[in-house]
Amino acid sequence: MTQTPYTPPESTALEADDKLCLTCNAVIHKKAEICPKCGVRQRKPASKTVLLLLTFFLGGFGAHRFYLGNYVLGILYFLFFWTWIPSLIALIEFIVFVFTSSEKIEDKYTAHGSAVAIAIIPIFIIIPIIGILAAVAIPAYTDYLARAKASEALMLLSGIKGPAMEIIADRGEFPSTVELESSGIEMSGKYTANIVSNPEGLYLQATIKNDTSAIAGKTVRLTYNPESMSWICSTGYPDGMDYKYLPSNCRNEAN
């Protein structure tokens, strides 16, 4: 037989805990990472513990495949994680790895600690965290902004109640929009497009500006009750805003 650098000598008898250097064929310990004779780094066996953790927690994103150096499979897992198929496959792989001995895993798989693998695996940890935070924070911020706009509209409406009641007391009539505007009363705001007065319906109604918020173009109103000389808060008509965006005191009155 022709001898090559990668062909073990016929006379070499390996012990159970020994292996041959991949470069110089020197007999070294099975778990040695560097050959003491030629100084070449050997294959690094995969750790069963690391493999199980990556497969269980990040298997749906292909993290365990990157760890094993299967970059093509890892990319496919990542691209199709949203279908849940990679997660199902990873679960089956996890069960297989559980019932595979550490020795077999170390013999069969190589741990890849390349810069690519080290850089990619943390991404699979960061992406789900960012996704969860975004799923919680974005709707909460949207609701907060909508309630702030509704509060501004109610504040402007409340500021008109006093002047409107003075006009009612003086003339016995509900003031018109033109009359309120001519009195110098603020009839719009940063988020409020306009406020109109309806003498027939005895109410003041504010309309939110058309923007990208959840209550864009929606209305809210204050209706005057001449018998009790009080005001009732409610959603406007048409395009009344949802009750959940109204201040708590307004929601109580509206219900």
Side-chain angles (χ1 to χ4, degrees):
M1 181 176 66
T2 304
Q3 190 73 21
T4 68
Y6 300 99
T7 304
E10 295 181 1
S11 59
T12 303
L14 297 177
E15 298 292 337
D17 293 334
D18 291 338
K19 66 179 179 179
L20 294 175
C21 172
L22 298 175
T23 303
C24 68
N25 285 326
V27 179
I28 59 177
H29 193 274
K30 187 176 182 179
K31 295 185 178 181
E33 294 186 13
I34 299 177
C35 175
K37 182 177 180 180
C38 65
V40 175
R41 182 173 293 278
Q42 305 298 298
R43 165 186 170 272
K44 184 179 180 181
S47 167
K48 180 177 180 178
T49 302
V50 174
L51 185 58
L52 288 176
L53 289 174
L54 289 176
T55 306
F56 185 79
F57 291 104
L58 300 171
F61 297 96
H64 64 301
R65 285 299 169 186
F66 285 101
Y67 173 68
L68 297 177
N70 308 134
Y71 298 120
V72 175
L73 279 176
I75 292 173
L76 290 175
Y77 276 57
F78 179 68
L79 291 178
F80 294 98
F81 76 91
W82 54 274
T83 65
W84 294 99
I85 295 176
S87 297
L88 179 60
I89 297 174
L91 178 60
I92 297 173
E93 291 175 320
F94 175 79
I95 296 173
V96 173
F97 293 147
V98 167
F99 291 99
T100 303
S101 66
S102 298
E103 290 75 16
K104 287 186 178 180
I105 289 178
E106 291 176 359
D107 289 339
K108 184 177 181 180
Y109 300 109
T110 300
H112 286 253
S114 65
V116 175
I118 294 173
I120 289 177
I121 290 176
I123 293 177
F124 295 123
I125 300 174
I126 295 172
I127 288 177
I129 293 175
I130 293 177
I132 293 171
L133 291 177
V136 174
I138 292 177
Y141 176 74
T142 301
D143 285 352
Y144 169 78
L145 188 59
R147 288 190 175 93
K149 294 180 179 182
S151 296
E152 183 205 68
L154 263 298
M155 182 182 67
L156 291 173
L157 289 172
S158 297
I160 301 174
K161 290 193 299 183
M165 293 185 71
E166 290 180 3
I167 295 174
I168 293 172
D170 291 340
R171 300 204 332 258
E173 297 178 357
F174 200 86
S176 65
T177 303
V178 175
E179 189 172 5
L180 292 173
E181 289 176 338
S182 62
S183 301
I185 298 174
E186 192 173 5
M187 302 290 283
S188 62
K190 181 179 180 180
Y191 305 116
T192 306
N194 60 68
I195 295 176
V196 296
S197 176
N198 188 306
E200 291 78 20
L202 303 180
Y203 65 79
L204 304 168
Q205 181 162 289
T207 303
I208 305 299
K209 290 181 178 179
N210 280 314
D211 50 24
T212 58
S213 69
I215 59 172
K218 301 299 182 180
T219 57
V220 60
R221 70 171 55 173
L222 289 180
T223 303
Y224 180 67
N225 185 338
E227 295 182 0
S228 61
M229 292 187 295
S230 61
W231 297 82
I232 299 175
C233 176
S234 66
T235 58
Y237 181 85
D239 296 326
M241 67 179 64
D242 292 339
Y243 285 108
K244 67 177 184 178
Y245 296 119
L246 298 176
S248 58
N249 59 333
C250 185
R251 288 200 300 271
N252 295 333
E253 293 177 8
N255 291 330

